[in-house]
Amino acid sequence: MRRATSTILLYAVLASGCAATGGSADRERARADRLYQTLTGMGLVRGESVSRVPNFRISGWNDIDDRTLVLSAGVRDRYLVELRAPCQGLSSSFGIGLATHTGSLMASDSILVRGPGGTPERCAIRAIWALDDLPGYDAAQSDGR
């Protein structure tokens, strides 16, 4: 009887592990879908991976979720930045900064986030992609005009 109970317990643990893995994959798939919808709503599409953006200066930013944001540099250049881990203060931040070693934006750098009354949070960058205009996108039409 003891052996049967341990076998059942082992199967229950394995089954819960499989369910957790499936749930994680489902969450990532849902996150990717939200990212795609948000970018297309902004008239953007993810382009090529970028290892370095020379002489980067932030002119604007939009958080997409707690691990993803769009950074603007100048009038036309935009980049999708994915962070290594969730950045808790990103959605409530009044401003962000860059912690770089070279003056260029690189995946080895960090985003500094300061929320209301908080100390700066350092959020490490995992990857950077150039953002391109979505072909055929009409901003006036998407605004309901």
Side-chain angles (χ1 to χ4, degrees):
M1 179 69 167
R2 185 176 180 102
R3 182 171 212 166
T5 304
S6 346
T7 304
I8 291 170
L9 183 59
L10 177 63
Y11 285 131
V13 169
L14 289 174
S16 68
C18 291
T21 302
S24 176
D26 291 342
R27 280 190 301 275
E28 282 302 310
R29 197 171 11 264
R31 184 174 169 270
D33 288 343
R34 281 192 310 273
L35 175 61
Y36 175 78
Q37 293 297 325
T38 301
L39 289 177
T40 56
M42 295 170 75
L44 301 170
V45 63
R46 190 174 88 177
E48 294 184 20
S49 177
V50 175
S51 62
R52 178 176 180 225
V53 183
N55 303 318
F56 187 81
R57 301 238 188 266
I58 298 174
S59 63
W61 64 281
N62 295 77
D63 62 301
I64 294 180
D65 59 29
D66 62 357
R67 285 186 8 213
T68 317
L69 65 153
V70 173
L71 294 179
S72 300
V75 178
R76 304 279 308 152
D77 295 333
R78 290 166 296 209
Y79 299 91
L80 180 68
V81 175
E82 183 177 359
L83 304 172
R84 292 190 183 279
C87 190
Q88 302 306 319
L90 188 59
S91 64
S92 61
S93 180
F94 293 122
I96 64 171
L98 295 176
T100 70
H101 302 290
T102 63
S104 299
L105 182 65
M106 299 173 63
S108 60
D109 294 330
S110 296
I111 301 289
L112 299 175
V113 175
R114 183 184 302 241
T119 57
E121 179 180 1
R122 184 178 289 264
C123 305
I125 297 173
R126 185 184 85 71
I128 305 167
W129 292 273
L131 289 171
D132 300 319
D133 291 328
L134 184 65
Y137 178 77
D138 182 3
Q141 188 176 26
S142 71
D143 289 342
R145 294 181 200 156

